[in-house]
Amino acid sequence: MYRLITLIAFFALSVGTTLTAQNVSERNPPTVTPTQYFQSRLEKLYVAINQKENNNISRYETDLLGMMRTHIETAQTSTEKKKYSKRMEEILTSFEGFSFITAEKDAADAHLALLEEFLAMLN
């Protein structure tokens, strides 16, 4: 009887430890580089535009522009990326007053191409 209770307690402890480890791994996703994150947000923006999900379009557009600003600010101090900083600033400036939600298809396509160009400079 004592062995049965010990076995059940051990099993319960093992299950609890496994569940805790899963919860921790879900809270701490694998490290994603800024380039990978930018690319994933851009891909999600494409989907949101195709599905006409205005809330998601706005969210991903805001995320991408914020990431662009942050990258430009940090690129100013990096000699390796200084060669791209002028073009990156031009791309960011082109988004002033622009919104994918209200843009015509040609303008939206042109701005998506600019985001793709920015992504290519991140690599």
Side-chain angles (χ1 to χ4, degrees):
M1 180 61 122
Y2 175 73
R3 287 184 183 177
L4 181 59
I5 292 173
T6 304
L7 183 62
I8 291 172
F10 179 75
F11 178 73
L13 182 61
S14 296
V15 170
T17 303
T18 302
L19 291 175
T20 302
Q22 286 176 345
N23 288 338
V24 169
S25 68
E26 288 172 5
R27 283 183 281 169
N28 299 322
T31 304
V32 176
T33 67
T35 303
Q36 291 170 326
Y37 188 76
F38 190 93
Q39 183 175 4
S40 73
R41 287 298 186 209
L42 182 55
E43 290 168 359
K44 290 178 181 186
L45 177 63
Y46 275 109
V47 171
I49 289 171
N50 288 334
Q51 295 179 357
K52 297 180 180 24
E53 298 172 334
N54 289 345
N55 288 337
N56 286 336
I57 292 171
S58 179
R59 182 173 84 193
Y60 299 132
E61 183 176 12
T62 301
D63 285 352
L64 288 165
L65 295 178
M67 292 170 56
M68 291 167 70
R69 282 185 196 92
T70 300
H71 186 78
I72 289 170
E73 290 170 6
T74 58
Q76 298 299 328
T77 59
S78 169
T79 56
E80 181 181 320
K81 295 186 180 180
K82 272 189 175 177
K83 64 181 179 177
Y84 296 127
S85 64
K86 177 77 172 149
R87 179 62 183 146
M88 289 177 168
E89 289 175 7
E90 291 171 355
I91 292 172
L92 180 61
T93 301
S94 73
F95 281 89
E96 289 180 12
F98 177 82
S99 171
F100 284 104
I101 295 172
T102 58
E104 297 290 324
K105 178 154 178 37
D106 290 342
D109 289 344
H111 280 78
L112 287 169
L114 290 173
L115 290 173
E116 293 284 351
E117 181 182 349
F118 195 95
L119 174 61
M121 286 186 271
L122 293 177
N123 291 325

